[in-house]
Amino acid sequence: MYLCDTTRRLPHGELLTAMRDAGAKEEDYPRLHDSVGCCELGKNHGDQHAESRFAPGADPELWVKWDDETD
């Protein structure tokens, strides 16, 4: 399967807050220069892009979603 692989710089502060709220540990947090999302959906999937950022093995999982215009 071919992936979309569209990238987007993610808002680092909001990403860290969401990861903390989802139960991530500090070692799971991305560094500022690593906070780029890369879409994991199939090619030609539609308007919204998405990437899995944190999945501790239980709920909740954290997915980052964006479209071509906004986060």
Side-chain angles (χ1 to χ4, degrees):
M1 180 167 127
Y2 294 103
L3 296 179
C4 170
D5 72 13
T6 297
T7 60
R8 174 73 168 240
R9 175 144 318 266
L10 304 173
H12 191 252
E14 291 175 38
L15 179 59
L16 295 181
T17 299
M19 289 181 74
R20 182 199 65 211
D21 292 347
K25 296 184 176 103
E26 192 171 332
E27 60 264 17
D28 298 319
Y29 296 170
R31 293 184 298 248
L32 179 59
H33 63 274
D34 291 332
S35 60
V36 173
C38 184
C39 184
E40 297 178 15
L41 302 178
K43 254 216 195 310
N44 303 318
H45 58 77
D47 294 341
Q48 270 207 333
H49 303 283
E51 177 193 41
S52 174
R53 274 310 217 166
F54 178 69
D59 287 333
E61 290 187 6
L62 178 65
W63 281 80
V64 179
K65 295 180 183 179
W66 69 94
D67 61 30
D68 290 329
E69 299 297 322
T70 61
D71 297 337

